[in-house]
Amino acid sequence: MANPNAMGRLLHPALFQLMKFQSTGKLRRIGNAFRSRRKLVLSLLAILLGCVWLGQTVLSIVFRDPADPESLRTWLSVSMLLYCVFHFLKIGSRKPVEPFEWTAAEKQALLSAPLTRTHLVSYRLISYLLATAAKSLCFAIVMIPDLPSFTVGAIGMFLGLSLIDLTRVLLERIAWTAASTSKRCWTIVRATMLVPALTLLTVAFYQTAWSPDFEAAIASPNPLSIPQLFLAIVSDVVGQPPFSWLLAPWVAVVDIVLATQYDWQFLTRTMAVISSTITMSALIYWADQKGTWWQTQLSLRKRTHRSAVGRSENRESNHRAKSPTGMGGAKAIIWHQVHAAIHYRSTLAFALAIPTLLSCMPLLSKTVNLATSLSVIGSMVFYSFLLLPPALMLDFRRNAQRLAMWKAMPIRPIALTFGQLSVPVALMSLFQACVLAIAVLIGGHSPLMFLAWPMLLPLNVLIIGMENAIFLMQPYRRNQEGIEVFFRTILTFTGKGVMFAVGLAFTLVWAWAAISIGKVFESQILGASIFGAGVLVALFVLAWASAKTCARLFEKLDVSQDLPPA
């Protein structure tokens, strides 16, 4: 029988009870969603769409042919490596944040409780591993035709994803400690994270641009052709020195997932990956203890120094920045979000750099013609639709708990909505202007490309407005996991797909009507003018409708019932 005192050193029994209560609370919250009329409609819609998507997944599992084992082995290992590289870039390019992602309620209830740091770290790691187990199970279900063994594949993927998550947590803990120590220490840690990742991506981008298949990828109507070529080049790059050692851990994980023979080599790989996971967990405990001790010592030294020089610890500045007023209170909201954008400037620069590079990839073509210009504009719109909304969360989505504060402000909902949407729309428009400027100044394309920019402004409002409308229908915390996130993701992607399909159908019908009118009056210029004016008017109407929808949903929001638990 296990010693309860020994187990209590790792995780306090009260935390087991807390996790049990949290699971019960989540189930009750899902049940309460069917009591409100608005939430009932959304929940039923999400369940219906979820059944459709799951049915499609089941059909694809039953009827699709198994993938080539060698290709699958390569893609899985490269995908895991790129996922890990993404965490290196994300942590190294932003200001360090407090590790373990404590919510406001957890900070109040747990960090002030008589619990050791080991208890708190164990509690958080277990929550991460439970979410990883759910992801691994979903992966194994989707990959049933390709896995020799469902159980072994799920266990292998669990070990691989756990290793990635533990690596991320360790990096965040190290970055937080280094930033608290000194600027020089943080610079060294940041360079250690960014240099290998950026070197790998730079080599891959260079080889992609000079690949013989690059011209065919640009000419392809598939917007994912260039990213697919880039991933293929990455798989070739990481298979050669000096990057081959980066791929070794993930090759071992994939060998476990796709194992067909369970011999001593399989056992050796499995024990090596398990040992790496345990070692990474031990390093997290060690880094957290040393980092907490060092930060405490630094705090004491700063207090002693301030007392010695006679400075007040709570000294306030005499020059406080005053919030601007006007526009019904919208200026104050814009001012607040601008300061948030300045605070997260490194993260925003990294988030905007990736779609900028991807959108500018067609400019590497040797030919400058209309097809290349349209490819740049199409890629720019595609990545604005896909990548930028999750990165530019400087609006209602930034913090669900702030909705109660916004509701208490004496500002009209439409003015508050205008202030919330302004900063992400401006950043998205800035990204598009930079891409067009690069295409004109460096790529040698016609300045007439800038004529597309005014049409993109209402499209940006529509995209950000739709994201916020979905958020206000069912508010959620950032980094939240669970079945609610699954339904929300389905609703978001389905809404985007429906909007894209309806927009494409309208564009085709309106183009046919404009061409027909131009033929009647025997004027191509008239037809083109009618087409452009109609699309522009439609975009402005839809943008205004999305903003009004956000304002209406915000006005109807009940902070006592609709907000997620802190």
Side-chain angles (χ1 to χ4, degrees):
M1 183 176 179
N3 186 0
N5 294 330
M7 296 182 61
R9 295 172 187 171
L10 187 63
L11 186 65
H12 197 279
L15 294 176
F16 277 114
Q17 288 293 111
L18 177 61
M19 288 188 285
K20 186 185 300 184
F21 292 152
Q22 287 176 337
S23 301
T24 305
K26 288 181 180 179
L27 294 177
R28 289 181 178 177
R29 184 174 178 80
I30 294 174
N32 291 336
F34 293 92
R35 298 180 181 180
S36 171
R37 179 181 300 178
R38 178 171 60 87
K39 287 189 174 183
L40 176 62
V41 174
L42 292 175
S43 300
L44 292 177
L45 179 61
I47 291 175
L48 177 63
L49 295 175
C51 292
V52 172
W53 282 97
L54 289 176
Q56 182 181 359
T57 303
V58 170
L59 291 177
S60 65
I61 292 173
V62 173
F63 293 105
R64 76 175 174 86
D65 296 328
D68 179 61
E70 292 302 322
S71 300
L72 183 61
R73 189 184 307 273
T74 301
W75 285 107
L76 284 178
S77 57
V78 171
S79 299
M80 287 186 175
L81 174 61
L82 289 179
Y83 190 25
C84 196
V85 169
F86 166 75
H87 285 307
F88 271 78
L89 293 173
K90 181 181 178 181
I91 297 172
S93 61
R94 68 177 182 179
K95 286 188 175 182
V97 296
E98 184 180 1
F100 304 118
E101 300 170 353
W102 301 110
T103 64
E106 288 173 337
K107 289 179 181 179
Q108 183 178 5
L110 297 181
L111 299 187
S112 60
L115 301 171
T116 64
R117 289 296 303 182
T118 302
H119 292 153
L120 296 174
V121 173
S122 300
Y123 166 78
R124 180 53 75 217
L125 291 183
I126 288 176
S127 64
Y128 289 154
L129 294 179
L130 289 176
T132 302
K135 297 175 186 176
S136 305
L137 181 62
C138 292
F139 169 84
I141 293 175
V142 173
M143 301 296 291
I144 284 178
D146 310 305
L147 298 178
S149 171
F150 175 84
T151 304
V152 175
I155 293 174
M157 185 55 60
F158 172 75
L159 292 175
L161 294 179
S162 299
L163 191 58
I164 293 175
D165 279 342
L166 293 175
T167 302
R168 173 186 62 84
V169 174
L170 180 61
L171 292 175
E172 288 180 346
R173 176 70 256 194
I174 294 174
W176 179 252
T177 304
S180 303
T181 303
S182 65
K183 184 177 292 186
R184 180 180 180 182
C185 184
W186 166 233
T187 302
I188 295 174
V189 172
R190 171 181 282 187
T192 305
M193 294 181 187
L194 292 180
V195 169
L198 292 177
T199 303
L200 172 62
L201 295 179
T202 302
V203 173
F205 271 116
Y206 177 80
Q207 294 195 9
T208 302
W210 292 97
S211 172
D213 300 327
F214 185 69
E215 294 290 339
I218 293 177
S220 174
N222 182 12
L224 297 177
S225 58
I226 295 179
Q228 290 173 351
L229 177 62
F230 175 73
L231 290 178
I233 296 297
V234 170
S235 64
D236 294 335
V237 171
V238 297
Q240 304 171 0
F243 300 107
S244 55
W245 63 274
L246 295 174
L247 198 61
W250 317 116
V251 170
V253 170
V254 175
D255 287 340
I256 297 173
V257 173
L258 302 179
T260 56
Q261 296 181 352
Y262 308 110
D263 50 9
W264 65 272
Q265 291 183 350
F266 170 79
L267 182 61
T268 302
R269 294 192 189 97
T270 305
M271 294 305 297
V273 175
I274 293 176
S275 300
S276 301
T277 306
I278 296 175
T279 303
M280 196 65 67
S281 302
L283 288 175
I284 291 173
Y285 285 107
W286 177 82
D288 184 75
Q289 291 178 356
K290 295 298 182 181
T292 303
W293 177 85
W294 180 246
Q295 288 172 329
T296 303
Q297 295 299 316
L298 289 176
S299 178
L300 292 175
R301 290 179 186 178
K302 290 179 180 179
R303 292 181 182 180
T304 304
H305 176 72
R306 288 175 179 173
S307 300
V309 299
R311 293 180 181 178
S312 175
E313 182 181 358
N314 297 320
R315 181 172 57 91
E316 296 183 359
S317 174
N318 294 326
H319 303 283
R320 289 188 176 182
K322 294 184 178 180
S323 174
T325 59
M327 298 173 60
K331 278 188 178 181
I333 306 298
I334 296 174
W335 177 85
H336 175 79
Q337 300 294 14
V338 167
H339 275 260
I342 295 173
H343 179 74
Y344 295 106
R345 57 187 179 274
S346 299
T347 305
L348 289 174
F350 171 69
L352 294 175
I354 293 179
T356 300
L357 291 175
L358 294 175
S359 300
C360 293
M361 290 291 285
L363 298 177
L364 299 176
S365 175
K366 299 178 182 178
T367 58
V368 178
N369 51 27
L370 180 60
T372 307
S373 301
L374 293 177
S375 180
V376 172
I377 295 176
S379 300
M380 180 178 62
V381 173
F382 176 77
Y383 294 119
S384 298
F385 194 75
L386 183 66
L387 296 181
L388 290 187
L392 303 177
M393 300 182 70
L394 299 170
D395 42 37
F396 288 115
R397 301 169 294 161
R398 181 183 166 198
N399 192 339
Q401 302 304 323
R402 290 179 181 267
L403 291 175
M405 180 184 70
W406 301 131
K407 290 283 290 186
M409 287 188 171
I411 304 176
R412 294 176 57 209
I414 187 63
L416 194 142
T417 301
F418 176 78
Q420 293 283 357
L421 302 185
S422 296
V423 174
V425 168
L427 290 175
M428 188 177 291
S429 301
L430 178 63
F431 150 75
Q432 294 161 351
C434 290
V435 173
L436 293 176
I438 293 173
V440 173
L441 300 177
I442 300 178
H445 289 259
S446 173
L448 295 177
M449 289 183 66
F450 278 104
L451 294 177
W453 193 60
M455 301 181 66
L456 295 176
L457 179 61
L459 179 63
N460 298 338
V461 177
L462 178 60
I463 294 173
I464 299 297
M466 178 180 153
E467 292 280 344
N468 281 269
I470 295 175
F471 170 80
L472 292 172
M473 290 178 185
Q474 187 71 37
Y476 58 90
R477 288 188 293 105
R478 296 182 65 180
N479 303 318
Q480 183 179 345
E481 297 181 353
I483 191 66
E484 295 178 351
V485 181
F486 173 71
F487 286 144
R488 186 188 73 242
T489 304
I490 290 176
L491 191 62
T492 301
F493 277 94
T494 304
K496 287 183 177 181
V498 170
M499 188 181 74
F500 183 80
V502 172
L504 181 61
F506 169 79
T507 303
L508 293 176
V509 171
W510 184 249
W512 173 80
I515 292 174
S516 301
I517 295 174
K519 288 181 178 179
V520 170
F521 292 94
E522 298 181 353
S523 175
Q524 294 182 355
I525 297 178
L526 178 62
S529 301
I530 292 175
F531 173 76
V535 171
L536 192 61
V537 169
L539 287 176
F540 272 104
V541 170
L542 292 175
W544 176 251
S546 66
K548 288 289 289 184
T549 302
C550 287
R552 184 66 175 171
L553 290 172
F554 177 76
E555 187 178 7
K556 292 282 188 180
L557 186 69
D558 186 356
V559 295
S560 64
Q561 297 290 332
D562 297 337
L563 295 187

